[in-house]
Amino acid sequence: MTVRVGVIGTGIMGADHVRTLTSSVAGVRVSAVSDLDEQRAQAVAAEVPGARVLSDPLALVHDAGVDAVLVASADSTHEELVLACLEAGKPVLCEKPLAPTSDGALRVVEAEVRGGRRLVSVGFMRRYDPGYVDVKAGLRDKVIGAPLMLHCVHRNGFSAPGTPTSGLITGSAVHEFDVVRWLLEEEITRVTVHRPRSSSLVVGGTSDPLFVLVETTSGLLADVEVFVNAQYGYEVRCELVGEYGTLLLDEPEQVRRRSSRSRSSRVSLDWRDRFAEAYRRELQDWVSGVAAAEQRGASAWDGYAATVAATAGVAALESAGPVPVDLEKRPDLYESR
């Protein structure tokens, strides 16, 4: 079976997905694309033999020549488009967030539950990164005993001038929230956010970096450093500390120097370089799952839980203490794989 995919949103991420689907994923054909900027959509479609441009994204969802939909449009459109896919009975891979608000993400969960079938996947691609997969395998093999603490680092080279501080939580730390839940297979219960001294190189009023403390159901603590103006490049780190040892993501060199003023820094400025293989694996698994009538990857419930945690993190920016992460009861639809 060749899965015919329609892609909504042909900006940086959507165009990248089209290229990856076309060049590096088996069993798929990009049959249609849609974007508010029709010229941009035309340029992307021109690289894919047979791809059509549809100006109306909802028309793409319902098009008979589209078997599954990839949503990479603006965050504010995600809820409406995913709900349309559920109504049409079509599998959908939605880039994070599932919806910008907890209520919106919950509406998607409720709609999927009413349909009685899991069709929604959320683009938390780190679940497919070989380094993260190795860390999870080590945890499952009990090579470090019971996990106790998780240390995470999320750095970007530069952010747009005037980036809202909340964006560090909803755009960056949210990936770590999903990693915590996926690695440990338990929910986040509280989020606390501290504001260290801000970098003098930040343009605008962004409070950067941030230090985020996450607590889970079993009492494990995870700390997350988010620094989106680190200058030297894009870098993600993770260390899981257990009773017998630690598991490291991409174990560092013996001597590691990271500086925008030093030639020794070999870190890309582009997150797509770091996670290119993760994106490829994610897309291949999603396409294979569509062909097998299976939902794979992060579920709608995972998208909802991450959004609730991020919402708590945004509230914690102005709070003097921890903010609880209050989830609805997990529906039975998401209890089994």
Side-chain angles (χ1 to χ4, degrees), residues 86-111:
L86 289 173
E87 181 184 355
K90 292 187 178 181
V92 54
L93 172 59
C94 179
E95 278 298 327
K96 62 88 181 165
L98 178 61
T101 68
S102 299
D103 288 345
L106 183 60
R107 284 190 288 270
V108 172
V109 167
E110 291 171 341

Side-chain angles (χ1 to χ4, degrees), residues 221-254:
L221 295 181
D223 60 79
V224 182
E225 173 211 310
V226 184
F227 187 16
V228 297
N229 287 277
Q231 306 298 310
Y232 69 86
Y234 179 87
E235 185 173 23
V236 168
R237 300 186 200 171
C238 174
E239 181 183 15
L240 181 59
V241 180
E243 294 175 321
Y244 307 139
T246 72
L247 294 167
L248 292 171
L249 174 73
D250 292 336
E251 189 166 353
E253 307 139 9
Q254 283 186 320

Side-chain angles (χ1 to χ4, degrees), residues 64-201:
V66 171
D67 301 314
V69 179
L70 194 160
V71 175
S73 48
D75 294 356
S76 60
T77 68
H78 289 188
E79 178 187 351
E80 177 187 12
L81 293 172
V82 173
L83 288 174
C85 290
L86 289 173
E87 181 184 355
K90 292 187 178 181
V92 54
L93 172 59
C94 179
E95 278 298 327
K96 62 88 181 165
L98 178 61
T101 68
S102 299
D103 288 345
L106 183 60
R107 284 190 288 270
V108 172
V109 167
E110 291 171 341
E112 189 171 48
V113 169
R114 286 195 300 272
R117 178 187 169 198
R118 287 168 60 168
L119 292 170
V120 179
S121 298
V122 183
F124 286 116
M125 76 295 180
R126 293 190 189 182
R127 295 175 176 224
Y128 291 91
D129 177 72
Y132 279 104
V133 170
D134 286 347
V135 171
K136 188 172 179 71
L139 179 60
R140 283 181 168 171
D141 291 343
K142 302 185 186 304
V143 298
I144 61 168
L148 304 174
M149 296 180 292
L150 185 65
H151 304 297
C152 303
V153 168
H154 185 131
R155 297 179 186 149
N156 290 70
F158 307 92
S159 68
T163 295
T165 303
S166 62
L168 277 67
I169 303 294
T170 59
S172 297
V174 68
H175 280 290
E176 272 69 28
F177 295 158
D178 183 68
V179 162
V180 167
R181 296 183 60 259
W182 172 71
L183 276 179
L184 304 174
E185 298 182 1
E186 57 184 273
E187 296 295 357
I188 296 169
T189 57
R190 299 199 298 180
V191 179
T192 306
V193 178
H194 299 278
R195 299 177 186 245
R197 183 178 67 185
S198 288
S199 168
S200 64
L201 301 178

Side-chain angles (χ1 to χ4, degrees), residues 254-271:
Q254 283 186 320
V255 178
R256 170 180 286 198
R257 297 177 63 192
R258 297 288 188 249
S259 171
S260 61
R261 299 179 178 181
S262 169
R263 294 182 180 178
S264 62
S265 177
R266 293 186 292 274
V267 179
S268 173
L269 285 169
D270 195 326
W271 82 94

Side-chain angles (χ1 to χ4, degrees), residues 250-336:
D250 292 336
E251 189 166 353
E253 307 139 9
Q254 283 186 320
V255 178
R256 170 180 286 198
R257 297 177 63 192
R258 297 288 188 249
S259 171
S260 61
R261 299 179 178 181
S262 169
R263 294 182 180 178
S264 62
S265 177
R266 293 186 292 274
V267 179
S268 173
L269 285 169
D270 195 326
W271 82 94
R272 293 170 297 170
D273 294 337
R274 169 61 180 82
F275 286 111
E277 178 61 12
Y279 281 121
R280 188 197 66 78
R281 292 186 181 197
E282 175 190 48
L283 291 172
Q284 182 64 75
D285 195 43
W286 177 61
V287 167
S288 299
V290 171
E294 298 174 354
Q295 184 274 330
R296 298 183 183 177
S299 68
W301 177 262
D302 295 321
Y304 161 71
T307 297
V308 175
T311 300
V314 172
L317 278 169
E318 306 303 330
S319 172
V323 173
V325 176
D326 296 321
L327 298 174
E328 298 293 326
K329 184 178 183 298
R330 186 198 300 255
D332 291 342
L333 183 67
Y334 303 103
E335 290 295 343
S336 60

Side-chain angles (χ1 to χ4, degrees), residues 15-25 28 276 279-280 283:
D16 233 44
H17 283 330
V18 169
R19 283 189 287 269
T20 301
L21 287 167
T22 303
S23 65
S24 305
V25 175
V28 65
Y279 281 121
R280 188 197 66 78
L283 291 172

